[in-house]
Amino acid sequence: MRVPEFSDEQIAADLAAAAAELGEPLTAAAYDGWQRRRVAASPALLIRRFGSWNAACGHAGVATNKTRSTSRRWSDEDVVAIVARYLAAPGSTGSFADYTAWAKAEDGVPSGATLRQRFSWAEVKKRATELS
């Protein structure tokens, strides 16, 4: 199955349509439910493309809540070091699902969802492995 490609203009139009239907401020969770019933870019793709949910919505002129994103609590270097620590942990399988379970049991580390706002699993794992 071919994954559709989305232009910045199409993404902006979809965000505006979702905001018109769902109201503003538009949350990533509300948009996620909206886009699953259509051919539209996922919130994860928007975050990767624009750097954050707020930046994606800003590009489209859509209002968002202005609460501080937890994804910036950790620097990129912190995230890579945390993943390196996970990979070195006894019993680590190196999978994203295993990281997510590990993160739930650890204090002060980003959740799997927060980590994915910053990096793909393959990218952060590659960077973490290069630290060793």
Side-chain angles (χ1 to χ4, degrees):
M1 181 172 163
R2 191 174 182 308
V3 177
E5 292 185 24
F6 300 97
S7 68
D8 289 356
E9 294 75 24
Q10 180 62 47
I11 288 170
D14 288 343
L15 280 168
E21 186 176 321
L22 303 170
E24 294 183 61
L26 184 63
T27 65
Y31 174 80
D32 185 48
W34 181 90
Q35 70 82 209
R36 287 178 185 270
R37 299 183 306 273
R38 294 161 179 79
V39 178
S42 69
L45 178 96
L46 299 182
I47 291 165
R48 280 194 307 274
R49 171 98 43 104
F50 295 97
S52 72
W53 175 251
N54 285 348
C57 288
H59 170 76
V62 171
T64 61
N65 285 329
K66 298 298 181 197
T67 57
R68 186 176 183 282
S69 170
T70 59
S71 69
R72 293 297 168 200
R73 183 181 307 165
W74 301 274
S75 69
D76 287 354
E77 294 78 17
D78 291 340
V79 171
V80 171
I82 289 165
V83 171
R85 193 173 96 210
Y86 154 73
L87 292 171
S92 167
T93 66
S95 73
F96 177 73
D98 189 56
Y99 170 83
T100 299
W102 177 84
K104 285 180 184 176
E106 294 290 312
D107 286 331
V109 302
S111 68
T114 297
L115 183 145
R116 276 223 166 125
Q117 290 176 5
R118 189 78 58 85
F119 297 106
S120 70
W121 179 243
E123 174 65 19
V124 73
K125 198 169 148 182
K126 177 179 178 267
R127 289 184 185 196
T129 303
E130 291 169 354
L131 275 183
S132 316

